[in-house]
């Protein structure tokens, strides 16, 4: 199994190191946090004294390097990669992908890179918040840019699968547009909701129950980490915010004029049922041959249509997706 070198040992990076070791891979890490380094060593994991040493070992062993730092630190680490392991296999676990792809092209252009973003986490941070099981059953985007090589994508996807996740192939731009709506916007709305609730004073605080707790959970995360994530995806988040403000404006207008929120509530209820169906259908499986010239394009198309890669062999990938709902419309064969 290919060795793994994790740069950054907070919640996500620390969990990647734990999960990689649990899967049987040789793995080591490095971090600028003395506290995280001490805690990881105390737990029995190998943490080298510097990023330079970790990357030099990665070069010697042709390891997969995982960037697990906040977005603002990515450029600095990539310059280290270019100095000490310029042609390494490289992936990341950063929640915004286009800026990382751009940074790799600029600062480590010879790296064999495929981006990554596990959709998992908690509202805590640091090594102590992580676990080897964090990614079990989670989704993990492995992105496909215009210059992504199949070998690099396959190595990043294999790591995700070994960590217990299912892989969603997508372009960096499509990834960022999607997570702006389902990850970054919820953090921003949670911040607003918590502030509005707080303005209700002691009585509101005493009456806050499950819906308020669940709706504000993610903003318990370190605000600096949330800022790096949301501000790093500025353009896509602005689009999602415009959509949100338009819908809130329509809801306010309806409530003020007719007293009814029926359209807003029913639309949201129906949309959520699409994310979490009460009776999930048996998934349909699709096999993609990895020795075909269009393999990455086909994988990206499957991922962006909602499919998840669940296994990889030497020359095939197996993806699962929801079946297309049957319609009652009659169709006429082409040409008749």
């Amino acid at each position: 199994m290919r060795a793994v070198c994790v740069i950054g040992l907070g919640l996500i990076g620390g969990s990647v190191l734990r999960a990689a070791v649990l899967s049987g891979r040789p793995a080591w890490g490095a971090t600028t946090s003395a506290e995280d380094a001490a805690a990881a060593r105390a737990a029995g994991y190998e943490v080298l004294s510097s990023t330079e040493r970790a990357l030099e070992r990665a070069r010697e062993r042709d390891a997969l390097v995982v960037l697990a730092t906040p977005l603002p630190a990515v450029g600095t680490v990539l310059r280290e990669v270019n100095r000490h392991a310029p042609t390494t296999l490289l992936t990341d676990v950063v929640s915004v992908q286009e800026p990382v792809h751009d940074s790799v092209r600029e600062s480590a252009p010879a790296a064999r890179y495929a981006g990554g973003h596990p959709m998992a986490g908690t509202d805590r941070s640091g090594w102590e918040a992580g676990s080897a099981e964090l990614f079990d059953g989670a989704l993990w985007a492995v992105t496909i840019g215009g210059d992504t090589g199949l070998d690099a994508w396959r190595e990043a996807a294999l790591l995700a699968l070994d960590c217990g996740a299912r892989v969603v192939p997508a372009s960096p731009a499509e990834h960022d547009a999607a997570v702006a709506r389902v990850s970054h916007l919820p953090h921003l709305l949670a911040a607003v909701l918590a502030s509005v609730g707080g303005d209700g004073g002691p009585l509101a605080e005493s009456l806050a129950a499950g819906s308020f707790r669940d709706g504000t959970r993610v903003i318990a995360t370190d605000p600096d980490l949330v800022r790096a994530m949301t501000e790093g995806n500025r353009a896509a988040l602005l689009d999602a915010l415009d959509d949100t403000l338009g819908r809130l404006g329509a809801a306010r207008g309806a409530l003020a004029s007719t007293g009814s929120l029926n359209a807003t509530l029913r639309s949201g209820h129906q949309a959520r049922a699409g994310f979490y169906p009460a009776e999930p259908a048996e998934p349909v499986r699709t096999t993609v041959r990895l020795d075909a010239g269009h393999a990455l394009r086909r994988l990206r198309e499957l991922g962006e249509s909602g499919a998840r890669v669940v296994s990889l062999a030497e020359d095939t990938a197996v993806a699962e997706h929801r079946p297309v709902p049957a319609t009652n419309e009659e169709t006429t064969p082409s040409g008749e």
Side-chain angles (χ1 to χ4, degrees), residues 4-20 29-31 36 66-70 91-95 97 116-136 138-141 159-160 163 165 183 187 221 225 229:
V4 175
C5 168
V6 184
I7 307 299
L9 296 177
L11 166 65
I12 301 299
S15 296
V16 171
L17 180 62
R18 291 176 173 99
T31 177
D36 287 341
V66 182
L67 300 185
T69 65
T91 189
D92 67 271
V93 288
V94 180
S95 64
Q97 286 294 291
H117 174 209
M119 302 298 293
T122 73
D123 54 17
R124 298 180 297 130
S125 58
W127 169 269
E128 297 290 0
S131 75
E133 294 77 30
L134 182 66
F135 310 111
D136 286 355
L139 300 177
W140 189 317
L159 173 64
C163 288
S183 178
H187 281 80
T221 306
L225 296 178
M229 175 176 65

Side-chain angles (χ1 to χ4, degrees), residues 189 192 241-255 261 264:
L189 293 179
V192 173
L241 268 175
D242 287 343
D243 191 358
T244 302
L245 292 172
R247 291 171 186 266
L248 286 173
R252 189 196 185 284
L255 184 63
L261 290 172
T264 296

Side-chain angles (χ1 to χ4, degrees), residues 5 7 28-32 48-60 65 76-77 79-81 83-85:
C5 168
I7 307 299
W28 59 92
T31 177
T32 58
L48 273 64
S49 60
S50 67
T51 298
E52 177 181 346
R53 288 193 60 198
L55 290 172
E56 287 174 347
R57 183 188 291 184
R59 184 192 65 236
E60 293 164 359
V65 174
T76 299
V77 177
R79 288 187 285 275
E80 290 282 293
V81 169
R83 278 194 291 270
H84 304 295

Side-chain angles (χ1 to χ4, degrees), residues 223-302:
D224 288 334
L225 296 178
V226 177
R227 277 194 62 197
M229 175 176 65
T230 52
E231 293 174 3
N233 201 16
R234 179 172 177 266
L237 183 54
L238 281 171
D239 285 343
L241 268 175
D242 287 343
D243 191 358
T244 302
L245 292 172
R247 291 171 186 266
L248 286 173
R252 189 196 185 284
L255 184 63
S257 61
T258 69
S260 174
L261 290 172
N262 182 61
T264 296
L265 298 179
R266 289 191 179 278
S267 174
H269 182 83
Q270 182 177 2
R272 191 182 191 283
F275 282 91
Y276 309 106
E279 297 181 6
E282 191 68 24
V284 175
R285 289 201 159 196
T286 299
T287 299
V288 177
R289 291 200 60 84
L290 298 180
D291 55 0
H294 62 280
L296 284 177
R297 186 184 74 234
R298 178 60 177 147
L299 286 166
R300 189 183 67 237
E301 291 170 349
L302 281 170

